[in-house]
Amino acid sequence: MTRSLAHGLNGSADLPIPLPYALVGAAWALTFSFAILLVAWKRPRLDPDNPGLLLPSVVRAVIDARAVRVVIATVSIAAAVVVGSVAVFGSASSQRNPVPGVFYIYIWVGVMLASLVVGPVWRAVSPMRALHRFGCFALRRDPGYGFREYPLSWGCRPAVLGLFAFVWLELASPDPGSVAAVRWWLLGYVVLTLAGLVLFGTAWAEHADPFEVYSSLLARLSSFGRRASGELVLRAPLHNLAGTPVLPGSVALAATLLGSTAFDSLSALPGWRNLVDSLGGGSVFGATVVRSVGLLTVILIVGTVFTVAARATGGLTRAERAELPGLLAHSITPIIAGYIVAHYLTFLVEKGQATLSLFADPFQRGADIGGLAHYQVHYILSDHPTVLATTKVLAVLAGHVLGVTAAHDKCLRLLPSEHRATGQLALMLTMVGYTFTGLYLLFGG
């Protein structure tokens, strides 16, 4: 896997829509939607306890059946064993070994996009959770309990560190596609996750597993949800989003996900590459340091700007304003989702096929499992650039409009009536800025 495979996709090359039109359209879409919200959306409407539409009992019985969960857990462990074996005994070349593709494409993109549709996928398919459940079953222990209580003050901060470790490997490390680098990252993930599950129980997975926290965050935009009784229902995604828990580290989580995606696009610009070469002094170490500082800087800028904008309101005490960023952090989730679709959809659909074909002979023994060696990649999206460009722009705009809607509804609950319009102004300008910057970077400048 080359750096381009580890990094997302093309910029403006496959986007025939003129950039100025996209930017003007984005500004008008957001401004117009905000005006409508102020005029027509004058009371809170989003309710995480909305009863929703109860799914048929047969569907609920199948989804929640113990046998189904055992099958999924068994398959996930078997898949993890296969991937681990290929990582250790397969080719050292990223051009022949499918493990980097599984890591960057199937898990980082595929699982997360699936979570947008059907709910928290990683919670269901996580081999770490499955191993822990089987171990607890054998020892007759409740997997929900460990040897210690998970510290509530930690919130989702351990997951933020894990996510930063991932995006650093992907975007700043010397060789993100290296089989060895991916193998060591996964080994560290397995050891830390299993140790956390044993020590703290499933609370570790819910708060500290970077993949599960990311998947569960995006699952808040799925139409599937559960009532307090546990019954599976269909409800409007923004109702689910309104129920996103506010935890220590929520703003850092959102900033890491959004900022790293922005940096991914930034790192493809010729100007940035020239800067890395210049400041890095031509050495691998120097270039890695420059990219690392750049990645961290972009994440800090995204988080700082959002925090300042969320606090920029009157009518509240200083302590109340300090709580606003965390209470409004969920409104960034649709923006993150929009950029995932815009930035990584082609990556998943087309390079995912290339990764699949590498499983034809994972141990380089001349095999042709399933005839995959002769599989030809179908460039479904790249062959239709207008459709692809439209999809990307609409995904970004939809994400921002939904983000504005979620933020506005929450502000109606949090801000005094006389500050509900002016108190949101800084947040609105921030989201417009995110739109401009995101599309500019998406178009490759």
Side-chain angles (χ1 to χ4, degrees):
M1 180 184 292
T2 61
R3 179 169 288 275
S4 63
L5 177 55
H7 273 198
L9 292 175
N10 348 340
S12 58
D14 60 355
L15 295 171
I17 298 175
L19 176 60
Y21 287 90
L23 295 182
V24 171
W28 274 107
L30 287 176
T31 304
F32 188 60
S33 64
F34 190 72
I36 291 178
L37 290 175
L38 287 179
V39 174
W41 196 306
K42 294 185 177 181
R43 59 180 178 80
R45 299 183 182 183
L46 302 181
D47 180 11
D49 296 321
N50 184 289
L53 178 64
L54 191 65
L55 290 177
S57 58
V58 174
V59 176
R60 288 184 281 120
V62 170
I63 292 176
D64 292 333
R66 181 181 180 85
V68 172
R69 299 195 175 196
V70 169
V71 169
I72 293 175
T74 303
V75 171
S76 71
I77 292 176
V81 170
V82 170
V83 171
S85 299
V86 176
V88 175
F89 302 109
S91 172
S93 170
S94 59
Q95 303 298 324
R96 297 180 179 181
N97 195 312
V99 170
V102 171
F103 186 56
Y104 289 115
I105 300 174
Y106 294 161
I107 296 178
W108 185 247
V109 182
V111 167
M112 304 312 160
L113 286 177
S115 298
L116 281 173
V117 179
V118 299
V121 170
W122 191 251
R123 181 183 299 174
V125 305
S126 168
M128 301 302 100
R129 265 189 179 262
L131 282 171
H132 179 244
R133 285 198 300 270
F134 283 141
C136 289
F137 177 77
L139 297 173
R140 300 182 182 276
R141 290 179 56 90
D142 185 343
Y145 295 94
F147 293 100
R148 294 186 59 185
E149 290 286 331
Y150 182 83
L152 296 179
S153 60
W154 289 8
C156 60
R157 287 168 179 153
V160 174
L161 293 177
L163 288 168
F164 182 80
F166 180 96
V167 297
W168 179 87
L169 177 66
E170 178 194 9
L171 303 173
S173 67
D175 188 5
S178 165
V179 176
V182 172
R183 181 170 60 230
W184 283 110
W185 197 101
L186 286 173
L187 178 61
Y189 167 76
V190 168
V191 171
L192 287 174
T193 303
L194 286 178
L197 284 168
V198 170
L199 186 59
F200 298 111
T202 53
W204 176 266
E206 295 167 358
H207 297 85
D209 182 338
F211 296 136
E212 180 164 333
V213 170
Y214 188 11
S215 171
S216 298
L217 180 68
L218 294 179
R220 290 286 174 175
L221 288 170
S222 168
S223 294
F224 294 94
R226 290 187 182 272
R227 294 177 179 173
S229 60
E231 294 173 307
L232 191 63
V233 298
L234 287 174
R235 63 163 69 99
L238 287 181
H239 286 304
N240 288 330
L241 182 64
T244 304
V246 180
L247 300 171
S250 292
V251 175
L253 173 65
T256 299
L257 293 172
L258 184 58
S260 61
T261 304
F263 181 78
D264 194 346
S265 294
L266 173 66
S267 63
L269 299 182
W272 170 255
R273 293 176 178 174
N274 293 336
L275 182 64
V276 171
D277 292 339
S278 174
L279 296 180
S283 69
V284 173
F285 177 77
T288 301
V289 171
V290 174
R291 286 194 297 268
S292 301
V293 172
L295 172 62
L296 183 59
T297 300
V298 172
I299 291 173
L300 289 175
I301 289 173
V302 170
T304 301
V305 170
F306 177 81
T307 298
V308 172
R311 291 181 176 183
T313 182
L316 298 176
T317 65
R318 184 175 182 178
E320 290 172 332
R321 287 200 303 273
E323 295 179 355
L324 288 177
L327 294 171
L328 292 168
H330 70 290
S331 64
I332 301 182
T333 304
I335 301 174
I336 296 170
Y339 282 115
I340 291 174
V341 174
H343 200 73
Y344 295 116
L345 183 60
T346 314
F347 190 52
L348 173 65
V349 173
E350 297 178 355
K351 294 187 177 180
Q353 297 177 60
T355 294
L356 180 63
S357 68
L358 294 179
F359 277 102
D361 186 18
F363 299 105
Q364 303 300 301
R365 295 183 178 179
D368 184 11
I369 300 173
L372 291 174
H374 305 288
Y375 182 84
Q376 297 295 318
V377 175
H378 299 281
Y379 295 96
I380 303 170
L381 296 175
S382 294
D383 287 343
H384 300 86
T386 301
V387 174
L388 177 59
T390 303
T391 300
K392 289 188 173 189
V393 172
L394 289 179
V396 172
L397 296 186
H400 282 276
V401 170
L402 291 176
V404 168
T405 303
H408 173 72
D409 188 86
K410 194 69 172 182
C411 285
L412 291 179
R413 299 178 185 274
L414 299 174
L415 303 184
S417 56
E418 64 273 19
H419 293 281
R420 285 176 178 173
T422 57
Q424 298 180 61
L425 182 59
L427 202 56
M428 172 61 183
L429 293 175
T430 297
M431 291 189 172
V432 170
Y434 285 164
T435 303
F436 279 147
T437 305
L439 285 174
Y440 179 83
L441 293 175
L442 187 63
F443 276 72

